[in-house]
Amino acid sequence: MIIGHGGNTKGLAEELGCLADEIIDMSANLNPLGPPERIKTVIMENLSAIHALPEPDAGSMTRGFARFHGIDPDTVIAGSGTTWFIYTIPKALDAKNVVILGPTYSDYADACTMQGIAPAFCMARAEDGFLPDLEAVSDMAARADLVFICNPNNPTGVLVEKEFITTLARRHPDVCFVVDESYLPFVEGAGDISLVQDRSYDNLLVLSSMSKIFTIPGLRTGFLSGAKPLVDTVMHCYQPWSVNALAQVVITDIFDHPEQIAPFYEKTRAYIAGEKKKFLDTVTDLKGLVPVPGHTCFILAKLLYHTAPLVCRQVGADRILIRDCSNFTGLGHRYVRFSLKDRKTNTALFRSLEKALACG
Ligand SMILES: Cc1ncc(COP(=O)(O)O)c(C=O)c1O
């Protein structure tokens, strides 16, 4: 669905009567370091690519992704963001009974609604630190044909071990598990958790977004990989030229320089770890805001005495956009989410939150 996402700097700018550029966006979960340096140059040098049709199946970037991960390119599809796959999978697999591990990203449910499916939620509880319960998920999966798992999860930041997912996949061989790893590159030790390279299960599909880690949400690029028969089924719904020419050039270039990817991930993870520690140490002084320990570039926090719309409005008045999580099914109106940036910006957010929470 079109509404209910972060990143609406234009909307806040209109409310405040300023330019969208003057808004600090801490509502969208992007890499605080920004894109790898070469991306801008690659775009500028390849602007003329838009004068020709791109590869209809985005074959070069698909092979680049496959080569990087050491997997068969026939088990990968490139799309215009993982969004394309989220909305296509329920239709392509003709799903009837969908389970979503929540509280989570709302587009899984929206994709189901679009197909006339009323999804069932298996909700993790705040008391359990939002860690999903394996047996509860397994019980519900037994009655499903499709299960969405976001790992690490948006907005809680909670990460489940690989074993959690593979246990489910083994127990329920007839159920397709879609694992959204959009935020996994931000996590230390992601390689041991990712299922992108795992072909031991016939019922696993993995989503890999390029938007978050490379800070290129506007280019709209992402990949689906997994069991070949499932990938082939999704491919039946593929439309030619789903990925635009510039996006194909940029992603192909990224995977043509694999030696630069691991250091970029490492730098990102180290930066986030440092900023997060600093922010969380400071935020303990704030009365009325309790952060949920997570593994990502963003932080979910519970408001003890205030509502999320009120706090977002007050922080918004300082031209800082944070995410009101009221529309995440299962969270209610007391949660906000923000994505850390550089130290100066994070300090500005802290001060703004401090001011908002001091109001009665
Ligand atoms: C968990 C999750 N998955 C997928 C997406 C969609 O990302 P994209 O379509 O840019 O890959 C988002 C965007 O916010 C997200 O939070």
Side-chain angles (χ1 to χ4, degrees):
M1 301 273 169
I2 303 295
I3 51 165
H5 297 95
N8 187 7
T9 49
K10 257 191 168 170
L12 180 58
E14 267 168 31
E15 259 175 53
L16 300 179
C18 66
L19 299 172
D21 282 355
E22 293 172 296
I23 304 292
I24 299 169
D25 183 12
M26 301 180 90
S27 71
N29 301 326
L30 300 171
N31 191 331
L33 295 182
E37 263 171 42
R38 54 181 301 116
I39 285 188
K40 252 191 195 160
T41 316
V42 172
I43 291 177
M44 297 314 286
E45 285 176 356
N46 289 280
L47 281 178
S48 60
I50 63 168
H51 299 307
L53 278 170
E55 294 175 49
D57 61 348
S60 296
M61 68 184 260
T62 305
R63 286 189 294 280
F65 180 87
R67 208 170 39 245
F68 180 71
H69 289 286
I71 56 178
D72 177 355
D74 286 345
T75 63
V76 183
I77 313 176
S80 54
T82 52
T83 300
W84 188 85
F85 299 110
I86 292 171
Y87 282 89
T88 303
I89 289 168
K91 179 173 68 176
L93 301 187
D94 195 22
K96 304 275 185 262
N97 299 297
V98 182
V99 169
I100 298 171
L101 271 63
T104 192
Y105 185 53
S106 57
D107 281 35
Y108 313 127
D110 290 345
C112 292
T113 308
M114 242 183 209
Q115 290 306 311
I117 306 163
F121 282 92
C122 186
M123 289 295 183
R125 302 179 326 157
E127 308 87 273
D128 301 330
F130 289 111
L131 253 181
D133 177 76
L134 179 67
E135 295 311 322
V137 178
S138 188
D139 283 353
M140 288 185 74
R143 296 186 294 277
D145 44 23
L146 178 64
V147 175
F148 279 103
I149 303 175
C150 187
N151 197 38
N153 187 35
N154 174 15
T156 60
V158 166
L159 182 75
V160 295
E161 293 298 329
K162 192 179 192 167
E163 184 65 18
F164 181 100
I165 297 165
T166 54
T167 301
L168 289 168
R170 262 194 311 273
R171 279 191 198 172
H172 306 285
D174 296 331
V175 179
C176 172
F177 291 88
V178 176
V179 186
D180 185 343
E181 295 188 353
S182 290
Y183 297 104
L184 197 52
F186 292 100
V187 175
E188 202 62 60
D192 297 332
I193 299 161
S194 175
L195 286 156
V196 167
Q197 295 168 313
D198 202 325
R199 290 290 173 273
S200 4
Y201 302 91
D202 293 335
N203 55 343
L204 275 187
L205 287 174
V206 180
L207 302 175
S208 306
S209 179
M210 300 294 102
S211 304
K212 320 294 178 186
I213 186 72
F214 295 126
T215 330
I216 46 172
L219 272 184
R220 312 300 312 126
T221 50
F223 293 95
L224 175 79
S225 58
K228 185 158 182 339
L230 287 176
V231 169
D232 286 346
T233 308
V234 176
M235 195 63 189
H236 284 138
C237 293
Y238 199 79
Q239 295 162 9
W241 311 300
S242 287
V243 184
N244 75 70
L246 269 180
Q248 291 196 27
V249 170
V250 168
I251 302 300
T252 302
D253 181 85
I254 287 177
F255 290 114
D256 276 350
H257 297 86
E259 74 290 349
Q260 296 181 12
I261 299 177
F264 182 74
Y265 285 3
E266 286 312 318
K267 197 171 151 197
T268 300
R269 290 167 190 165
Y271 187 83
I272 289 172
E275 283 311 308
K276 207 162 160 183
K277 181 171 181 335
K278 172 83 185 149
F279 190 86
L280 290 177
D281 285 350
T282 329
V283 104
T284 49
D285 295 341
L286 278 186
K287 284 206 175 63
L289 184 126
V290 183
V292 174
H295 287 81
T296 49
C297 54
F298 51 83
I299 296 173
L300 179 73
K302 180 164 191 187
L303 301 163
L304 298 182
Y305 315 116
H306 298 73
T307 65
L310 185 77
V311 168
C312 289
R313 202 172 322 125
Q314 284 171 327
V315 171
D318 289 332
R319 299 188 176 177
I320 300 176
L321 184 63
I322 60 171
R323 182 74 155 85
D324 172 353
C325 292
S326 307
N327 76 327
F328 282 91
T329 305
L331 275 189
H333 64 291
R334 293 226 183 250
Y335 285 91
V336 290
R337 189 197 68 201
F338 36 83
S339 229
L340 294 180
K341 290 188 172 287
D342 58 281
R343 180 70 52 87
K344 190 166 159 242
T345 310
N346 299 339
T347 307
L349 172 66
F350 175 79
R351 297 264 171 262
S352 184
L353 282 169
E354 190 176 41
K355 216 167 37 166
L357 296 176
C359 296

